[in-house]
Amino acid sequence: MTSIHSLIHKVAEHLNPVLKNSKFKETGVLTPEEFVAAGEYLVFKCPTWSWEKGYPNKRRDYLPADQQFLITRNVPCLRRADQMVFGIDSEMEQVGDDGWVAAYAGHKSVSAQDEDEIEEIGDIDEADVQVPSAKEIERLTKGVEGVDVG
């Protein structure tokens, strides 16, 4: 099934040309330049996002080599945080060789003593926060000032 999807995706990508003129308002599809500009703005506003190069054999010529896709890392997840508080992070145990799991296997609750042992997260020192210069902000927002996403 994956190979069929991959083949269809390759054919569709080959038949659909790369946009030269913006059709975002009509179709919601970005040009490569709009994608890079929007990505730069996202990386600037949200430091958990960053550009990735990707594998050389999967790179697209219409995007810069070091800006092939965006990825986010170290984003807190409230559901996962709750699971860790309640001791559910080892909630599944594999049963048999076919991959089925038993939910909440070995579940144990967290005691007040365990909570006292959890290390506090320190405050962020203002010296560690990098504030971009006006020139950098201008470079990052170039190309998106006229884009209306509303």
Side-chain angles (χ1 to χ4, degrees):
M1 187 66 166
T2 303
S3 61
I4 293 171
H5 181 272
S6 177
L7 178 65
I8 291 171
H9 184 71
K10 286 179 185 177
V11 169
E13 196 172 81
H14 181 71
L15 295 176
N16 291 328
V18 176
L19 286 180
K20 301 292 181 198
N21 300 320
S22 180
K23 292 192 177 182
F24 181 74
K25 287 186 178 181
E26 296 87 21
T27 64
V29 179
L30 297 171
T31 65
E33 293 79 19
E34 290 171 326
F35 174 72
V36 171
E40 286 290 326
Y41 189 71
L42 179 66
V43 168
F44 167 70
K45 285 290 192 180
C46 305
T48 59
W49 286 92
S50 63
W51 285 104
E52 289 293 322
K53 296 177 185 178
Y55 295 114
N57 62 334
K58 299 218 179 219
R59 287 195 184 132
R60 299 296 180 244
D61 296 334
Y62 49 85
L63 291 172
D66 61 339
Q67 295 178 320
Q68 292 291 306
F69 64 93
L70 291 156
I71 189 166
T72 188
R73 293 187 176 100
N74 302 321
V75 178
C77 172
L78 295 177
R79 184 176 1 177
R80 182 71 181 131
D82 285 345
Q83 288 176 349
M84 292 175 71
V85 167
F86 295 119
I88 306 173
D89 63 328
S90 60
E91 68 187 46
M92 293 187 269
E93 175 181 294
Q94 188 164 346
V95 178
D97 294 331
D98 55 0
W100 286 93
V101 295
Y104 301 102
H107 175 71
K108 64 175 186 164
S109 62
V110 176
S111 68
Q113 181 180 2
D114 292 336
E115 286 186 18
D116 291 338
E117 293 174 10
I118 297 173
E119 185 177 325
E120 287 292 321
I121 298 173
D123 292 333
I124 297 175
D125 187 9
E126 285 189 32
D128 295 336
V129 178
Q130 296 177 352
V131 178
S133 66
K135 192 172 189 174
E136 183 69 7
I137 292 171
E138 184 179 324
R139 184 186 73 78
L140 292 170
T141 58
K142 186 176 182 179
V144 294
E145 60 270 348
V147 177
D148 179 26
V149 294

